[in-house]
Amino acid sequence: MQVHSETEVRPRRRPKRAGAGSAIGELVDKVLQYQPGADVEPLRHAYEFSSRVHEGQKRLSGEPYLTHPLAVAGLLTDLKLDLPSIIGGMLHDTVEDTLATLPEIESAFGEEVAALVDGVTKLSRVDFTSHEEKQAENFRKMIMAMAKDIRVVLIKLADRTHNMRTLQYLSSEKQRRIAQETLDIYAPIAHRLGIYWIKSELEDLALKHIRPEIYAQLKSNVAQKRKHREKYTNDVISRLSKALAEEGIDAEVGGRPKHFYSIFRKMENQSLDFSQVYDLVGFRIVVDTVRECYESLGVVHAKWRPVPGRFKDYIALAKPNMYQSLHTTVIGPNAQRIEIQIRTQDMHRVAEEGIASHWRYKKEKDLQVTDMQRFAWLRQLLEWQQNLSDPQEFLHSIKEDLFPDEVYAFTPNGDLQSFPKGATVIDFAYRIHSDIGQHCSGARVNGRLMPFKYILRSGDTVEIITTQEQTPSRDWLKVVKTPRARSRIRAWMASQQRERSVALGRELLEADFGRHGLDFQDLQEEGTLETLGRELGVKNEEGLLAGLGYGKVMSRQVLAKLVPADRIEGDKKQLEGGLERLFRLVGSRDRGVRVKGIEDVLVRFARCCHPLPGEDIAGFITRGRGVTVHVASCPTGLDNDPERKVEVNWSEDAQMPRAVKIEVGCADEPGLLAAISSAISEAGVNIARAHIRTFDDKAVNTFEIMIASSDQLRQVLQDISRVKGVYKANRVQG
Ligand code: MN
């Protein structure tokens, strides 16, 4: 068993002195350590290129500019990135800050490196410190860069890390601005990518420049308590180690001080003084197997009382950035709270180095892969993203985690579009153009044919397929997520319906006019129809015809304005338009609902929401089927064209009982069903049907009962709920 304590932060690497050939020599050595046999000539070449074009430039610190790209490349070797990334880091400022051009870089270092430098250059021009909306937009650009090639973002992270380390040379206003941006954008990205050491360093450096007084105070407080803390830490470590050894668990136990920013956050969030923050040290138990993780947890909890609600199992449920561990907080020696993380060696590597180590770890198990390929994981991420489903899943989850409510998809030209989560191919089509949306019949998503219902995922490249015959349908409204697509589809449906209704209205009117010796065309040309439309409150001629078509206006009303009443009366039977005839045929059924403005109309109750007397309702005219009554808030009802909406009210005698389905959950006990049935009967309600299902010790009973009003339903549900053993009683649809 190994026991070790890292009670202080490891010393940060200092930027290397430039000029000496040893700087590049050291860098090359580091690369060869994890990529033995790699061709490092291009890296040496990049160093020479960079030193030539940055010649004479100095950083604000007074050091030669070359120290910066060298340090950035060094950080990228700490991340064990592939050679193109390290070369890209070496060259990352050449296009922005020197006379060097992209074509030059491309011809000297190839397309891949040039694309990385281009990506970093573009990202550097993005200003994340502008106001909020723009920041969101820029954040999207960052994600776009990440989706295209995640290495661009890693080079940018290394660049920012070195700039933060040397921030003191800037004006204090600039310091604060850059530090804030680091806290807002770069530290979260490092966190999401799981690169813990960059995340905590960025946060500490940002705190130092944004709240220098707090940082200084924390630093001195931590230093003052050091002796005491070290003693305490060693005490906890040795007790834990002993307890684990007694159970035969081979473990590494360590403790390390939390970084300043996390202490600061804790003080802020919980309004604590420094003196009240006890757990300045986080403890860690690293074991060999998952089983030992849980065994160790048992040992810890047996030794010290766990704090309720603080246990988290990230082994069973890994974080999206692949982090796995068990977390617990216990009341340790001297009644101090201590936080303990328990994980395996593999999990530990992932926790420290993020997705890089995840890939390395996977590859180590796969022995066919050469060392060279092993560390090209980032490039593979990009390739896999296009070819395989699993790594895409991974990238997807990273982005999901960063922006849980949005998805990002590309046009074939590489333009990025963002959508609300759940958006479909149709939303994408309408985003491009209304006409494209109108005729969208599907899409090629990442080269594969997908139906219009396909739900977009981040990273998808979407090419919309249109056909002239395709037009919007009501189903589309059920799958779209963007307001734009929804409103365009509705507008199209309304215009189609209106066109049909106008044609139908004209047909009806022409027939009825013919019977009375009136000429439709004459009346139209004189403007009589236009006038009649106004008089009947439907705006104009078109409104009149559409109203007739919908059935909102009766041809009898139109004729009354043109023909003496006695003549219409005499011909009443003949005069009835198609719609009126239909209503009469089916028979006027007063089902307890009055439709405003229309008498003798067939009323049906919608099967989706089963309105009950007393509920708020809305009616919709359906040609040939009278008026369908929905509950006012019913989504299916609201999907109807608002032009077809008519006002409906319950009449006073609307007490005709209707079948309503209810569900009653209760314990599966003898006699309970009888008790429920009698509760229903006692409320004066008849049971039309009953159905009983039992699960384990529970029963779910479905009853169809005859209900006359919403008040009565409420009452009977209440009565049922009072029966002992019933745990729920509610209405169900259908
Ligand atoms: Mn730079």
Side-chain angles (χ1 to χ4, degrees):
M1 186 178 62
Q2 237 179 313
V3 178
H4 72 102
S5 151
E6 343 156 25
T7 45
E8 285 309 323
V9 184
R10 273 176 254 132
R12 309 285 190 217
R13 277 166 17 86
R14 299 250 127 243
K16 301 276 180 315
R17 292 265 153 227
S22 66
I24 180 64
E26 262 181 54
L27 190 68
V28 165
D29 286 348
K30 271 185 75 180
V31 173
L32 289 174
Q33 269 173 34
Y34 67 90
Q35 292 189 60
D39 176 12
V40 291
E41 254 336 284
L43 179 57
R44 291 185 191 278
H45 182 194
Y47 174 76
E48 284 153 19
F49 185 97
S50 194
S51 65
R52 195 172 68 242
V53 295
H54 284 300
E55 172 102 70
Q57 291 179 345
K58 284 207 185 324
R59 300 206 91 209
L60 286 172
S61 61
E63 289 180 299
Y65 196 87
L66 193 63
T67 54
H68 173 62
L70 254 177
V72 170
L75 283 164
L76 293 168
T77 61
D78 289 343
L79 287 171
K80 297 192 171 60
L81 293 201
D82 61 0
L83 263 172
S85 309
I86 294 157
I87 295 169
M90 188 66 87
L91 301 171
H92 80 272
D93 276 334
T94 55
V95 172
E96 185 74 4
D97 294 341
T98 77
L99 295 173
T101 64
L102 264 185
E104 237 176 293
I105 287 172
E106 188 173 339
S107 70
F109 302 99
E111 214 178 298
E112 190 181 358
V113 169
L116 288 173
V117 173
D118 187 33
V120 178
T121 305
K122 282 179 177 152
L123 216 48
S124 300
R125 289 179 186 148
V126 174
D127 178 11
F128 292 105
T129 58
S130 51
H131 63 275
E132 245 171 71
E133 281 160 64
K134 209 173 156 214
Q135 188 170 310
E137 182 52 37
N138 288 331
F139 219 129
R140 286 199 184 100
K141 285 187 185 151
M142 179 73 100
I143 299 308
M144 178 174 80
M146 193 144 89
K148 279 186 175 159
D149 192 334
I150 206 161
R151 293 176 300 180
V152 168
V153 174
L154 291 170
I155 296 172
K156 192 65 201 158
L157 271 180
D159 178 41
R160 177 52 58 109
T161 304
H162 184 243
N163 285 337
M164 285 299 289
R165 285 179 183 175
T166 52
L167 200 60
Q168 67 270 31
Y169 302 105
L170 299 181
S171 70
S172 62
E173 198 258 294
K174 263 194 168 170
Q175 284 179 16
R176 249 193 302 279
R177 191 171 61 85
I178 292 174
Q180 190 61 52
E181 182 188 68
T182 299
L183 219 44
D184 291 343
I185 310 269
Y186 291 96
I189 283 188
H191 173 66
R192 303 303 177 164
L193 294 176
I195 310 167
Y196 179 81
W197 65 273
I198 288 191
K199 175 213 171 203
S200 48
E201 181 173 351
L202 288 178
E203 284 179 344
D204 276 0
L205 288 168
L207 181 68
K208 183 174 162 188
H209 292 282
I210 294 171
R211 305 287 292 270
E213 68 303 335
I214 299 230
Y215 183 85
Q217 199 193 341
L218 274 174
K219 204 174 161 179
S220 93
N221 283 342
V222 168
Q224 270 173 28
K225 285 194 166 186
R226 177 185 287 177
K227 268 247 154 62
H228 170 76
R229 190 178 62 247
E230 280 177 0
K231 192 171 164 287
Y232 186 80
T233 303
N234 289 331
D235 181 38
V236 170
I237 289 174
S238 68
R239 289 195 202 198
L240 267 178
S241 303
K242 193 162 158 265
L244 289 164
E246 276 166 12
E247 294 300 318
I249 300 169
D250 189 14
E252 282 176 39
V253 182
R256 89 171 161 190
K258 294 192 165 168
H259 68 292
F260 293 135
Y261 187 74
S262 73
I263 300 171
F264 165 70
R265 276 244 310 263
K266 186 162 206 154
M267 288 166 62
E268 288 252 298
N269 291 346
Q270 303 176 23
S271 310
L272 299 174
D273 285 342
F274 181 80
S275 61
Q276 296 170 287
V277 182
Y278 293 114
D279 46 353
L280 299 175
V281 180
F283 292 89
R284 181 173 305 134
I285 298 170
V286 180
V287 292
D288 289 329
T289 65
V290 170
R291 193 170 56 85
E292 285 174 335
C293 290
Y294 290 99
E295 285 171 359
S296 304
L297 180 75
V299 172
V300 170
H301 284 180
K303 192 161 182 51
W304 292 308
R305 194 160 54 80
V307 177
R310 293 299 302 272
F311 170 65
K312 301 229 169 56
D313 186 347
Y314 294 119
I315 290 180
L317 210 66
K319 287 190 183 182
N321 64 14
M322 294 293 158
Y323 177 87
Q324 286 188 299
S325 279
L326 301 176
H327 287 190
T328 188
T329 302
V330 296
I331 310 291
N334 308 339
Q336 284 193 18
R337 284 178 176 221
I338 50 178
E339 286 183 9
I340 300 173
Q341 301 168 341
I342 305 168
R343 52 174 78 139
T344 64
Q345 293 285 359
D346 292 334
M347 292 172 193
H348 183 56
R349 235 169 296 154
V350 173
E352 290 297 296
E353 295 164 37
I355 47 180
S357 76
H358 172 71
W359 248 254
R360 225 177 308 151
Y361 156 67
K362 269 193 130 166
K363 286 297 161 195
E364 271 166 17
K365 292 198 152 179
D366 186 350
L367 295 172
Q368 302 156 321
V369 183
T370 67
D371 281 350
M372 187 58 200
Q373 285 170 318
R374 193 193 287 176
F375 301 110
W377 65 272
L378 280 171
R379 187 171 39 210
Q380 283 169 358
L381 182 67
L382 187 68
E383 283 163 12
W384 281 339
Q385 184 203 338
Q386 286 149 3
N387 301 326
L388 295 174
S389 64
D390 190 37
Q392 189 180 358
E393 192 81 38
F394 176 66
L395 190 67
H396 177 71
S397 73
I398 291 175
K399 276 181 276 185
E400 283 245 296
D401 193 39
L402 274 171
F403 297 103
D405 301 323
E406 285 177 278
V407 290
Y408 298 86
F410 295 97
T411 67
N413 298 333
D415 291 333
L416 185 79
Q417 302 281 343
S418 79
F419 296 90
K421 197 172 177 178
T424 56
V425 159
I426 300 175
D427 292 292
F428 194 100
Y430 274 100
R431 174 70 57 78
I432 293 169
H433 195 278
S434 301
D435 271 354
I436 307 266
Q438 220 79 281
H439 298 295
C440 168
S441 60
R444 236 181 286 282
V445 177
N446 306 322
R448 289 178 56 203
L449 279 176
M450 292 293 172
F452 65 78
K453 283 181 181 171
Y454 173 83
I455 291 171
L456 300 173
R457 308 188 53 174
S458 282
D460 281 347
T461 298
V462 182
E463 185 191 343
I464 298 294
I465 299 166
T466 59
T467 49
Q468 263 329 103
E469 301 76 51
Q470 182 66 56
T471 52
S473 80
R474 193 163 289 285
D475 287 348
W476 288 19
L477 287 173
K478 291 180 193 146
V479 301
V480 296
K481 280 283 184 296
T482 53
R484 179 189 165 95
R486 186 172 301 277
S487 72
R488 299 288 151 109
I489 295 166
R490 279 193 200 282
W492 192 89
M493 308 266 272
S495 78
Q496 285 303 104
Q497 226 163 28
R498 197 170 174 86
E499 248 172 64
R500 278 199 301 273
S501 303
V502 167
L504 187 65
R506 183 186 169 121
E507 231 173 83
L508 285 170
L509 209 54
E510 271 180 337
D512 281 351
F513 279 1
R515 275 195 288 278
H516 287 85
L518 298 169
D519 188 81
F520 181 89
Q521 214 167 336
D522 285 352
L523 289 166
Q524 188 178 35
E525 280 164 13
E526 289 165 22
T528 310
L529 295 183
E530 185 83 13
T531 315
L532 283 173
R534 270 201 300 279
E535 282 175 19
L536 289 166
V538 284
K539 278 188 197 154
N540 51 22
E541 179 190 321
E542 201 200 290
L544 178 72
L545 296 178
L548 280 157
Y550 289 140
K552 223 170 182 174
V553 178
M554 299 289 146
S555 64
R556 199 191 325 165
Q557 293 173 273
V558 180
L559 286 166
K561 301 266 180 192
L562 300 167
V563 180
D566 54 329
R567 276 192 59 199
I568 302 178
E569 209 52 51
D571 293 346
K572 191 175 178 191
K573 249 194 180 129
Q574 279 186 21
L575 287 180
E576 281 169 351
L579 188 64
E580 289 152 81
R581 219 168 9 244
L582 181 90
F583 289 165
R584 185 159 292 272
L585 269 174
V586 180
S588 102
R589 289 194 203 148
D590 182 1
R591 305 205 44 192
V593 169
R594 282 193 218 285
V595 180
K596 201 181 172 192
I598 310 177
E599 291 157 30
D600 257 14
V601 64
L602 175 66
V603 170
R604 305 148 49 89
F605 291 98
R607 256 171 287 181
C608 45
C609 53
H610 297 282
L612 282 178
E615 284 183 300
D616 276 343
I617 46 175
F620 293 90
I621 291 173
T622 314
R623 242 205 107 64
R625 287 192 284 135
V627 169
T628 307
V629 176
H630 289 266
V631 171
S633 59
C634 171
T636 313
L638 291 172
D639 265 349
N640 278 304
D641 180 359
E643 289 227 36
R644 290 170 38 212
K645 190 170 173 178
V646 285
E647 204 178 298
V648 287
N649 295 298
W650 296 104
S651 56
E652 290 90 63
D653 52 354
Q655 295 290 318
M656 203 179 78
R658 255 185 308 284
V660 166
K661 226 181 231 177
I662 61 166
E663 201 171 77
V664 181
C666 63
D668 186 20
E669 281 168 18
L672 214 62
L673 187 61
I676 295 166
S677 304
S678 71
I680 297 173
S681 308
E682 274 163 30
V685 172
N686 288 329
I687 301 173
R689 241 184 256 161
H691 180 71
I692 290 101
R693 283 167 298 160
T694 57
F695 314 90
D696 301 329
D697 54 344
K698 280 182 194 157
V700 175
N701 315 295
T702 316
F703 295 98
E704 232 177 84
I705 53 177
M706 301 308 288
I707 291 290
S709 73
S710 53
D711 285 343
Q712 188 181 32
L713 178 66
R714 237 188 328 272
Q715 189 58 53
V716 75
L717 287 175
Q718 215 173 74
D719 291 350
I720 296 169
S721 304
R722 288 210 187 99
V723 175
K724 202 165 168 268
V726 169
Y727 62 89
K728 68 160 189 177
N730 53 273
R731 181 177 181 183
V732 288
Q733 299 298 0

